[in-house]
Amino acid sequence: VLHSWEDRIHNQSLSFDTFASQVLQVDTEIIASAGKIKSLRAEHDKLKSRQDAADQSIGRVLEQQDAMGRLLTTLQEALKAQTPSNEAAKPTRIHQMSRGLSIQFAELDRQADDLTKETQAAQASLYSEPLTTIVRILDAHASALDSMQGQVGEMVDRIHQLQHRL
């Protein structure tokens, strides 16, 4: 009888040891997974803040583009207001230059859009990280805005020169 109990207790002890080692393995996996979750959460927070910064930059680029459009519209209206009414039917040299510049600005805007689309396509195929794509797009927009602003400055200078000639 004692030998039988001893065998049972020994078998239960082995069974308990097996179960305890399985529980330990599961606990270890849970702890490792919790660590991975923490690191992923930290990385997510970091990426989220970078995404927010990129969104703000895109918003500023959009505001700058809108301001450039309003500036161009204001310049066109100022030129129209300065034109004598009896010569309104004839396009003057200044108006022709303004139209030419407007067409150039429209073409630059179209080229900037095309460049953005091409950049997005290239980035999608070359880079897997979405923030890299956003940075490249922002760089393209910033370059286009710098170019447009330089041309607007040149146009304003030309308009002032033409006004002084008249």
Side-chain angles (χ1 to χ4, degrees):
V1 172
L2 288 177
H3 187 55
S4 165
W5 284 0
E6 186 179 322
D7 286 341
R8 282 186 189 171
I9 289 175
H10 180 66
N11 287 339
Q12 276 188 330
S13 174
L14 290 176
S15 179
F16 180 77
D17 286 342
T18 304
F19 182 70
S21 65
Q22 289 174 351
V23 167
L24 178 63
Q25 183 181 3
V26 169
D27 282 347
T28 305
E29 289 174 7
I30 288 172
I31 291 170
S33 295
K36 286 180 185 178
I37 288 171
K38 281 185 178 181
S39 66
L40 287 174
R41 186 173 300 228
E43 185 177 345
H44 174 265
D45 291 341
K46 183 177 159 184
L47 289 174
K48 178 74 171 147
S49 67
R50 290 171 70 190
Q51 171 93 29
D52 291 342
D55 287 344
Q56 289 175 352
S57 295
I58 289 171
R60 285 191 296 264
V61 167
L62 180 62
E63 289 172 7
Q64 288 174 349
Q65 286 178 339
D66 289 342
M68 294 292 278
R70 287 190 302 272
L71 176 65
L72 182 59
T73 302
T74 304
L75 284 172
Q76 287 174 338
E77 290 172 359
L79 286 174
K80 285 179 184 177
Q82 290 180 358
T83 302
S85 60
N86 60 356
E87 294 183 14
K90 296 181 192 177
T92 64
R93 186 166 190 254
I94 294 174
H95 288 299
Q96 290 171 349
M97 290 176 66
S98 292
R99 282 192 205 116
L101 288 172
S102 295
I103 291 169
Q104 289 177 357
F105 279 126
E107 178 63 19
L108 281 173
D109 189 42
R110 186 193 62 76
Q111 288 176 358
D113 290 340
D114 291 345
L115 181 61
T116 300
K117 290 175 186 174
E118 288 176 22
T119 302
Q120 287 174 342
Q123 293 300 322
S125 65
L126 296 175
Y127 300 99
S128 61
E129 187 176 346
L131 290 177
T132 304
T133 303
I134 291 171
V135 168
R136 302 275 188 211
I137 291 169
L138 289 175
D139 287 341
H141 279 285
S143 296
L145 284 173
D146 290 342
S147 174
M148 290 171 82
Q149 188 157 6
Q151 289 181 356
V152 166
E154 290 174 9
M155 184 175 94
V156 169
D157 291 342
R158 287 182 194 168
I159 290 171
H160 287 304
Q161 289 174 356
L162 290 171
Q163 286 176 344
H164 290 289
R165 288 182 192 168
L166 295 177

